[in-house]
Amino acid sequence: MAEEQDPGPVPSAAEIAAAWQRERPGTPTASIEVVTPIWRLAKLFADDRARVLRGAGIDAATLDLLSVVRRSGPPYALSTRQLAHRTLVTAGAISQRVARAEREGLVRRTPGTGRRSVLVELTEEGHALIERSVDAVLGREATLVAGLSPQERTLLIGLLDTLLTDVRRRVSAPPGPTAPGSRTGP
Amino acid sequence: MAEEQDPGPVPSAAEIAAAWQRERPGTPTASIEVVTPIWRLAKLFADDRARVLRGAGIDAATLDLLSVVRRSGPPYALSTRQLAHRTLVTAGAISQRVARAEREGLVRRTPGTGRRSVLVELTEEGHALIERSVDAVLGREATLVAGLSPQERTLLIGLLDTLLTDVRRRVSAPPGPTAPGSRTGP
DNA sequence: GCTGCTACGTTTAGACCTAAACATAGTCGA
DNA sequence: TCGACTATGTTTAGGTCTAAACGTAGCAGC
């Protein structure tokens, strides 16, 4: 072996807050222990999902697209606008996602009835692919969160819901999509 | 006005799970109500932070970089390897982030003492910028999570920590960085 | 019938990231 | 000392996203 290898564990949220207090007493670190674990969990879930999907021949963006259409029920068709709204990305991103999925034969664009809107609808192949993928992804995620007891689970869901409602209300700016990537926080 | 405007609220995690059960009875939806709010909160926090930082003339990636170095304490210098480890991104991303920050005069690359490693250290200007930005970002985030009572806050932090530890243990694959973007889930 | 107005979808430019290929430099054993 | 190996950091290719500019298409008032 060469030399200094293991950089040790990634500092916990509590350690990050403590470091700021040590370096800059008075820094408002109250939010760190809430926000940081949420980011890290989101990243762990996203990374793990990407790994699971890689084997299934589909990526997370396409899974999102097909999922939303599939669970909207028959006739398995939504407008671009609805897709953008429900997947929390911009209309431009949807346009590109649909183009990719269309190129792979997973969806079909049809003119919306009487409107100028465009309906995105599942092809036979797209329907089959999402049917195959959903159970794999959700089953895997179920095992990831299986460590929580039923009580803990219920409690956590309630608290997350409270926080989500609250943050949504306080974020004045349009809830549209903005920042990419994952962050580790200050 | 033209026509159909408001596409309604984004479906809640509970509604998404219910939709799957309606469309595909037996789908393992147990994880949705835990994972989805975590992703949405992460996205809300990231978007809001991006907006706050836009006014401060710095982006989230650079804030991450400067923050990690700043809170490591004197002499405010870390190796590329440590930076990659602590910010949860690849070494290539760090290389690019450092290059950008260096171009803006916020950091300086110096050869590590006796090692072949490269130390990234804050310049006067970088130090001043992070000093100005941290309070703004953390202060803003403190108000976002201020809706939780002290009891709720403590409870939530504990549950998130439990879940994080648990998920980390179950994710067998290397915890390295992989998936970009934010997802809304199946 | 025109003329603005608004909503919607697509296209383009630019930003950032991952993965993988490279380039280097210490380390260790024969 | 030589050579394989390992750790580090940088570069490059490719991908996805946002933001903003465009292009249309219905609608409303005159």
Side-chain angles (χ1 to χ4, degrees):
Chain A
M1 160 177 25
E3 45 194 291
E4 45 179 326
Q5 223 177 317
D6 181 17
V10 176
S12 71
E15 288 164 348
I16 290 175
W20 277 122
Q21 289 306 327
R22 173 168 42 75
E23 292 296 324
R24 298 178 76 246
T27 301
T29 52
S31 63
I32 291 182
E33 288 180 275
V34 173
V35 175
T36 298
I38 287 177
W39 272 350
R40 292 189 180 175
L41 280 166
K43 181 166 171 49
L44 282 173
F45 287 135
D47 289 357
D48 189 75
R49 173 173 289 192
R51 276 190 292 270
V52 170
L53 291 178
R54 205 163 301 154
I58 182 176
D59 62 287
T62 303
L63 179 83
D64 259 23
L65 176 67
L66 301 187
S67 291
V68 174
V69 178
R70 173 64 182 84
R71 71 167 185 260
S72 73
Y76 307 117
L78 291 175
S79 71
T80 294
R81 174 166 167 55
Q82 290 175 308
L83 289 172
H85 181 69
R86 299 195 192 183
T87 53
L88 305 183
V89 295
T90 58
I94 288 296
S95 200
Q96 294 172 15
R97 286 185 181 186
V98 171
R100 290 198 297 273
E102 193 171 36
R103 223 175 298 133
E104 297 176 49
L106 303 173
V107 300
R108 191 175 20 242
R109 273 188 258 223
T110 64
T113 47
R115 305 262 179 236
R116 84 203 134 231
S117 76
V118 174
L119 286 185
V120 176
E121 100 187 286
L122 291 181
T123 62
E124 190 94 3
E125 194 182 342
H127 202 292
L129 177 58
I130 188 61
E131 217 66 16
R132 254 184 293 130
S133 311
V134 170
D135 285 337
V137 168
L138 293 181
R140 164 67 172 167
E141 272 166 19
T143 73
L144 288 184
V145 302
L148 294 175
S149 72
Q151 295 82 13
E152 289 176 319
R153 195 172 161 287
T154 304
L155 209 49
L156 177 58
I157 290 175
L159 287 168
L160 288 173
D161 189 59
T162 300
L163 182 59
L164 185 55
T165 309
D166 216 65
V167 171
R168 276 217 187 98
R169 201 178 53 238
R170 285 169 206 266
V171 171
S172 52
T178 335
S182 55
R183 301 275 112 73
T184 52
Chain B
M1 156 177 29
E3 43 194 296
E4 45 180 327
Q5 223 175 324
D6 180 18
V10 177
S12 70
E15 289 164 347
I16 291 176
W20 277 122
Q21 289 306 328
R22 174 168 41 75
E23 293 294 324
R24 298 178 77 246
T27 302
T29 52
S31 63
I32 292 182
E33 287 180 276
V34 173
V35 175
T36 298
I38 287 177
W39 271 349
R40 291 190 180 173
L41 280 166
K43 179 164 172 52
L44 281 172
F45 286 135
D47 289 356
D48 190 75
R49 172 173 290 192
R51 276 191 292 271
V52 170
L53 291 178
R54 204 162 302 154
I58 182 177
D59 62 286
T62 304
L63 179 84
D64 258 23
L65 176 65
L66 301 188
S67 291
V68 173
V69 179
R70 172 64 182 85
R71 72 166 185 261
S72 73
Y76 307 118
L78 291 175
S79 70
T80 293
R81 173 167 167 55
Q82 289 174 308
L83 289 172
H85 181 69
R86 297 194 193 185
T87 53
L88 305 182
V89 295
T90 58
I94 288 296
S95 199
Q96 295 172 16
R97 285 185 182 186
V98 170
R100 288 198 298 270
E102 192 172 36
R103 225 176 294 134
E104 297 176 48
L106 302 173
V107 300
R108 193 173 21 243
R109 273 187 257 222
T110 65
T113 47
R115 305 265 179 233
R116 85 205 131 227
S117 78
V118 174
L119 286 186
V120 176
E121 102 188 284
L122 290 181
T123 62
E124 190 94 4
E125 194 182 342
H127 203 291
L129 177 58
I130 187 62
E131 217 66 16
R132 253 184 294 131
S133 311
V134 170
D135 286 338
V137 169
L138 293 181
R140 165 65 173 168
E141 272 167 16
T143 73
L144 288 185
V145 303
L148 294 174
S149 71
Q151 296 81 10
E152 290 176 319
R153 195 173 161 288
T154 305
L155 211 49
L156 177 58
I157 290 174
L159 287 168
L160 287 173
D161 190 58
T162 301
L163 182 59
L164 185 55
T165 309
D166 216 67
V167 171
R168 276 215 188 98
R169 201 179 54 238
R170 286 170 205 265
V171 171
S172 52
T178 336
S182 54
R183 302 274 113 75
T184 52

